[in-house]
Amino acid sequence: WMQQPDLFARLVPDEIQRAVISRNHLLFTWVKPMLQLKKLSPGVVLVNGVAAPPSEMVVTQGTSVDFCGRDGATVFLTFTILIRDATAVALLGPTPLPTRPDVPA
């Protein structure tokens, strides 16, 4: 996750909240034909609104992954899983990153 510090600085401008995300917070593994997620950090991560277990779990298209603040309840960052195969990428092109993230006012 934190291999992209500039991206996370844009997504979570508050340094105190950003510090909740560890450098090794989550591990995603592609085990054909499934994407697996493993929580590596003690911080609270919700998967579709439920606390992620420390064991591997399968995530699918549209799964939401929420990072919670130090209180373990307040969500401050959400990712939605988008899985596309090579055919979809060839047909539609790569998914562009937003130039301006959607952040609450």
Side-chain angles (χ1 to χ4, degrees):
W1 286 98
M2 295 308 285
Q3 301 298 325
Q4 303 292 326
D6 293 338
L7 173 64
F8 278 87
R10 285 179 51 209
L11 295 174
V12 186
D14 183 316
E15 204 170 323
I16 293 170
Q17 280 188 322
R18 194 170 57 248
V20 172
I21 305 171
S22 86
R23 293 184 189 275
N24 297 310
H25 212 89
L26 300 172
L27 174 66
F28 286 96
T29 308
W30 180 252
V31 180
K32 194 174 183 178
M34 299 176 298
L35 180 64
Q36 294 183 336
L37 174 148
K38 183 174 184 180
K39 185 176 83 107
L40 303 174
S41 170
V44 176
V45 173
L46 304 178
V47 176
N48 290 332
V50 178
S55 58
E56 291 179 339
M57 62 185 299
V58 173
V59 292
T60 58
Q61 178 76 11
T63 296
S64 68
V65 179
D66 305 322
F67 289 85
C68 294
R70 294 191 189 281
D71 65 0
T74 306
V75 174
F76 68 89
L77 180 64
T78 300
F79 288 97
T80 302
I81 302 296
L82 173 66
I83 300 173
R84 300 192 318 157
D85 63 13
T87 304
V89 173
L91 181 65
L92 302 171
T95 303
L97 285 174
T99 55
R100 189 171 144 212
D102 299 329
V103 293

